[in-house]
Amino acid sequence: MMGKEPQSATETVESLEHLAEDRDEVRLADVLDEFGKRSFGPFMFIPAILELSPIGGIPGVPTVLAAFIALIALQLLLGRDHVWIPKFAEKRALQSDKLMKSAKKLEGFAEKLDHWFKGRLSQFTGPTWQKVSAVAIILLCLTVPPLEFIPFASSAPMLTIAAFALALTVRDGLLTLISCILSVVAIGVGTYLYYTSDGSSGGSFLPF
């Protein structure tokens, strides 16, 4: 599957498993080679769902993932035709066993997503709506750092980002519209949690 853009959540997760099979660690450069340079959707979907997995429970990881997603979303907003990642970031790596464990736990979730969403309302998947999605994703990313250490809070925007990214991947306009609604809800919920929480230790939104 070298250089082929995934067209579904399942293909995205399977690609991660393929990368983790034959090496000790997986670099971002490896993921870029595996997915191809036009994979804006998968490159935002992966870190978003990883934040919802046990990896997202590591302090600081949600903020790093949000920063990476924002970088990709900004490129989509600016109309770039391929994903660009700084050289120093390409060398960043994750242990293969941790990646494989998270990917395995996400298999069933990915299959359900593909069953629910695929290619509806194509008029909401064009360049204009891609830019709308990019703006919403960037705004959601900005909410992650202050919410990271509040239980469940940072996972709310990440779940919405995953929905946007999946919509971009499978070209589903209905999911794009649903994601726009979810973004308003996620920001509202995040704001509420931020101002009502005592800022104690964080957690993961989904029981993966």
Side-chain angles (χ1 to χ4, degrees):
M1 188 173 171
M2 183 69 70
K4 178 185 177 183
E5 180 180 359
Q7 299 296 315
S8 68
T10 300
E11 285 186 10
T12 300
V13 172
E14 288 176 348
S15 295
L16 291 179
E17 293 175 351
H18 175 261
L19 283 171
E21 283 176 352
D22 56 359
R23 62 196 80 194
D24 295 329
E25 61 181 20
V26 176
R27 302 174 303 154
L28 279 176
D30 298 327
V31 180
L32 187 62
D33 288 341
E34 178 77 7
F35 287 174
K37 295 185 177 182
R38 296 179 61 85
S39 302
F40 287 94
F43 260 91
M44 292 185 287
F45 181 73
I46 291 169
I49 60 172
L50 286 179
E51 197 277 342
L52 301 173
S53 76
I55 291 177
I58 302 173
V61 168
T63 294
V64 171
L65 294 175
F68 178 79
I69 293 169
L71 173 64
I72 304 302
L74 180 60
Q75 294 177 52
L76 180 63
L77 178 62
L78 295 177
R80 290 182 62 91
D81 61 359
H82 65 276
V83 175
W84 172 83
I85 299 175
K87 290 296 183 183
F88 75 88
E90 287 186 1
K91 298 178 182 178
R92 299 290 295 179
L94 182 67
Q95 290 183 355
S96 294
D97 58 342
K98 291 183 178 179
L99 180 60
M100 180 65 80
K101 181 180 178 180
S102 294
K104 286 292 185 183
K105 289 185 176 182
L106 289 167
E107 284 180 351
F109 183 52
E111 290 176 358
K112 290 180 180 178
L113 289 175
D114 289 336
H115 176 72
W116 293 334
F117 305 110
K118 188 68 175 179
R120 297 164 298 180
L121 299 181
S122 59
Q123 64 268 35
F124 297 106
T125 62
T128 298
W129 281 94
Q130 289 179 12
K131 293 182 184 300
V132 170
S133 298
V135 170
I137 290 169
I138 292 170
L139 292 176
L140 288 163
C141 287
L142 292 175
T143 71
V144 171
L147 297 177
E148 179 177 344
F149 298 105
I150 301 173
F152 312 120
S154 67
S155 293
M158 282 297 197
L159 182 62
T160 307
I161 289 169
F164 271 117
L166 179 63
L168 290 167
T169 300
V170 302
R171 310 294 194 273
D172 191 297
L174 179 58
L175 183 55
T176 298
L177 296 179
I178 293 173
S179 300
C180 288
I181 297 172
L182 287 176
S183 66
V184 176
V185 175
I187 292 173
V189 170
T191 301
Y192 172 79
L193 290 175
Y194 180 75
Y195 285 107
T196 59
S197 173
D198 61 4
S200 59
S201 60
S204 184
F205 185 70
L206 295 180
F208 292 137

